[in-house]
Amino acid sequence: SLLYSLTDTTSALSNPLQLQLLNLHSGSTALPVRSYIVSYRITYPTDTVLAKLVTRDGSRSSTVDTTDATGTSARRIRLRALSLTSANDSVVVVAMVRYHGMPVPGAPIRFVLRVKPQ
């Protein structure tokens, strides 16, 4: 969930929407998979002013990430609370992981971020 304030714009940044990519060999330990490209897309709301995907530190817009040494990828949502048409809403994000253009098993991942006032 993301608790927002109409007066404090610093609170309009979500926690990371994070996934971890692991290689599961039968009978062995799950190993992190690094350097896979992950594409993120907001599917709801369609208003690109209301919510946008940003880097882990929130410093810039970004819809693509690469898994790190732990197999982890993440993006955050920056919300413009003044653009909300309803006090309680959601932002839906789909993350797609591909290998040679084909989705990996388990992809896509769907995140639903609940948005509500503080």
Side-chain angles (χ1 to χ4, degrees):
S1 291
L2 173 60
L3 300 176
Y4 68 86
S5 167
L6 293 176
T7 57
D8 179 10
T9 58
T10 60
S11 67
L13 188 62
S14 74
N15 288 327
L17 304 176
Q18 184 170 297
L19 63 87
Q20 186 177 32
L21 187 60
L22 300 172
N23 186 355
L24 301 172
H25 287 288
S26 58
S28 68
T29 306
L31 300 173
V33 179
R34 65 182 305 161
S35 302
Y36 272 51
I37 296 174
V38 183
S39 301
Y40 293 83
R41 181 172 52 93
I42 296 174
T43 59
Y44 177 84
T46 56
D47 182 355
T48 57
V49 173
L50 176 61
K52 68 178 178 176
L53 291 157
V54 295
T55 55
R56 293 180 198 209
D57 64 3
S59 65
R60 62 183 174 81
S61 295
S62 177
T63 59
V64 178
D65 193 19
T66 305
T67 56
D68 62 16
T70 66
T72 303
S73 171
R75 283 293 172 261
R76 297 172 92 172
I77 298 293
R78 180 167 305 280
L79 182 74
R80 293 186 64 144
L82 293 175
S83 298
L84 285 168
T85 57
S86 174
N88 295 305
D89 207 344
S90 297
V91 177
V92 180
V93 176
V94 172
M96 178 60 78
V97 184
R98 295 181 188 271
Y99 180 71
H100 291 295
M102 299 299 296
V104 301
I109 305 294
R110 184 174 178 256
F111 297 96
V112 178
L113 178 69
R114 295 197 174 141
V115 176
K116 52 190 174 183
Q118 284 181 326

